[in-house]
Amino acid sequence: MMRNFIFWLSSKKAVTSTIAERGMRYGFARRFVAGESLDEALTASAALGRESRRVSLNYLGENVHSAEEARRVRASYVEMLQGLERSGIDGNISIKLTQLGLDIDRDLCLSLAGEIAAQAGALHRDIEMDMEGSAYVDATRNVFEATRRKHDNVGLAVQAYLYRTEKDIERLAPLHPKLGLVKGAYREPVKTAWQKKSEVDANYRRLIDLLLEGRFYPAIATHDPAMQEHALGRLRERGMPPTAYEFQMIYGIRRDLQESIHQGGHTLRIYVPFGTDWCPYFMRRLSERPANCVFVLRSLVAETFRPARNANR
Ligand SMILES: Cc1cc2nc3c(=O)[nH]c(=O)nc-3n(C[C@H](O)[C@H](O)[C@H](O)COP(=O)(O)OP(=O)(O)OC[C@H]3O[C@@H](n4cnc5c(N)ncnc54)[C@H](O)[C@@H]3O)c2cc1C
């Protein structure tokens, strides 16, 4: 119920503009968002690099409405790759195909994705495609397949809450790609996706087993200790070396688990989101864990009642 309430709130302009206006100024959004600029994201990534985490830079923003905008986003993605290279950071970028015009011109989207993959390849880096709402899964998979056939440095996220994902994974197996297994972050109808946590978790475990069969480079992208335990058990059984898989978690979430995965000698990649359009992303993170709202409210109350500094000057 709380989750639905937060989704509802996120559709209210008055709420989101208050949060957007205050989040960075008061600092509460910084818990989950590395900043509004690429420089801030690189600074956060360099700090993670000093703790031996790899990163994936995630430029926040969703659908674009013109080819011009899509080309601008492509340029931003290339700048992100160059920024990582310039700063000597061990990392890649994750891209959203709706930011590259998936809605308006699929051929354009495919060609921009190919250009980004080629630029990344020239820098010996890789890219990962995010999976968005279910209306985009076919198109995203198709663009991924076509791009992956030409560029071996491209990975894709797949969502355990969708009934179809097992079939999609089987279909992608001949490409031997990197696949990141996530639970899924959007609201999907019952005809498309499992609704109960127990059902999503059961499918997540099944799909981990599938991804660890040796046909993929799997990325286990979750903060759920039970899912991680399941994966760790399977990795032990199979004796897989840390070069054959990675764990992924999101900036600011379950830093305790991030540390224990790292201490266990596993490769860990942190998703580092940044950008001016951070509010919808931030609301999604709140909806995943209502306790996060308490943290935000506490920051707002503290700020509201804090005596003005230098009031006497
Ligand atoms: C690297 C990465 C990439 C992702 N890419 C995509 C994508 O492309 N498409 C997509 O649909 N989704 C993506 N997601 C989001 C994902 O689908 C889930 O919505 C999100 O990860 C929460 O699910 P969970 O697996 O952590 O498990 P959950 O069962 O939701 O949570 C398990 C535990 O994790 C902790 N936790 C989870 N979320 C939070 C939070 N916001 N704040 C604090 N603690 C929290 C809590 O302790 C919770 O009990 C990605 C997630 C990761 C980690």
Side-chain angles (χ1 to χ4, degrees):
M1 220 166 85
M2 186 57 135
R3 190 170 187 188
N4 286 339
F5 176 63
I6 296 169
F7 266 113
W8 176 80
L9 276 185
S10 68
S11 67
K12 301 288 151 213
K13 196 90 191 114
V15 176
T16 51
S17 38
T18 306
I19 291 179
E21 188 199 313
R22 292 169 185 222
M24 285 292 162
R25 185 151 43 98
Y26 292 174
F28 58 79
R30 287 188 189 275
R31 167 75 190 270
F32 302 114
V33 181
E36 294 193 329
S37 69
L38 175 58
D39 278 350
E40 286 174 294
L42 290 172
T43 303
S45 300
L48 289 164
R50 286 192 288 278
E51 295 172 351
S52 308
R53 272 70 157 161
R54 292 181 182 170
V55 298
S56 187
L57 286 183
N58 194 207
Y59 176 59
L60 297 173
E62 270 144 54
N63 310 32
V64 296
H65 302 290
S66 69
E68 200 37 51
E69 271 184 274
R71 288 197 185 91
R72 272 203 296 273
V73 173
R74 171 209 166 275
S76 305
Y77 283 140
V78 171
E79 263 177 55
M80 286 155 61
L81 286 162
Q82 290 166 341
L84 288 169
E85 186 67 16
R86 205 175 43 245
S87 315
I89 293 168
D90 186 355
N92 67 18
I93 63 168
S94 57
I95 69 173
K96 273 197 169 52
L97 294 186
T98 55
Q99 291 182 328
L100 292 176
L102 191 64
D103 274 330
I104 47 178
D105 180 344
R106 299 233 165 128
D107 290 340
L108 173 71
C109 177
L110 177 60
S111 96
L112 296 178
E115 288 172 26
I116 296 164
Q119 294 270 354
L123 298 172
H124 307 288
R125 291 179 185 265
D126 57 309
I127 66 174
E128 296 180 19
M129 291 182 186
D130 282 354
M131 189 61 85
E132 301 176 66
S134 58
Y136 296 111
V137 174
D138 273 329
T140 301
R141 191 203 55 203
N142 293 344
V143 170
F144 170 73
E145 281 176 324
T147 312
R148 181 67 176 72
R149 282 197 192 100
K150 293 191 188 149
H151 304 276
D152 64 3
N153 60 335
V154 184
L156 177 71
V158 291
Q159 298 157 323
Y161 64 8
L162 295 184
Y163 304 137
R164 59 175 288 170
T165 295
E166 184 170 350
K167 276 199 185 133
D168 284 330
I169 291 177
E170 284 299 346
R171 174 174 161 149
L172 295 172
L175 294 170
H176 305 296
K178 174 177 186 177
L179 293 183
L181 182 60
V182 303
K183 287 194 186 177
Y186 299 84
R187 265 196 308 180
E188 298 293 354
V190 69
K191 67 176 184 349
T192 309
W194 278 288
Q195 308 289 314
K196 289 192 196 146
K197 177 173 161 56
S198 58
E199 295 168 334
V200 177
D201 288 358
N203 199 42
Y204 196 100
R205 288 189 178 90
R206 265 197 301 277
L207 297 182
I208 285 180
D209 295 352
L210 190 59
L211 289 180
L212 294 184
E213 273 174 8
R215 295 178 289 166
F216 307 91
Y217 177 89
I220 300 130
T222 178
H223 317 93
D224 189 335
M227 301 302 111
Q228 293 180 344
E229 272 311 312
H230 181 84
L232 289 168
R234 289 286 186 266
L235 290 167
R236 269 193 302 274
E237 278 166 28
R238 295 179 173 276
M240 287 173 73
T243 47
Y245 63 89
E246 68 185 34
F247 283 85
Q248 297 185 341
M249 287 189 246
I250 296 178
Y251 185 76
I253 298 185
R254 292 301 307 256
R255 288 177 284 205
D256 56 332
L257 285 183
Q258 296 182 9
E259 184 56 22
S260 74
I261 289 288
H262 169 64
Q263 288 297 333
H266 308 283
T267 306
L268 173 61
R269 188 181 300 276
I270 305 296
Y271 261 45
V272 178
F274 76 98
T276 48
D277 191 13
W278 50 265
C279 197
Y281 170 88
F282 179 69
M283 295 299 278
R284 277 206 291 280
R285 300 289 82 83
L286 292 191
S287 76
E288 280 161 2
R289 192 157 182 257
N292 289 338
C293 296
V294 177
F295 159 74
V296 171
L297 283 175
R298 215 185 284 134
S299 312
L300 277 174
V301 170
E303 195 60 38
T304 307
F305 295 107
R306 185 179 295 164
R309 267 192 217 132
N310 303 330
N312 295 331
R313 283 198 200 154

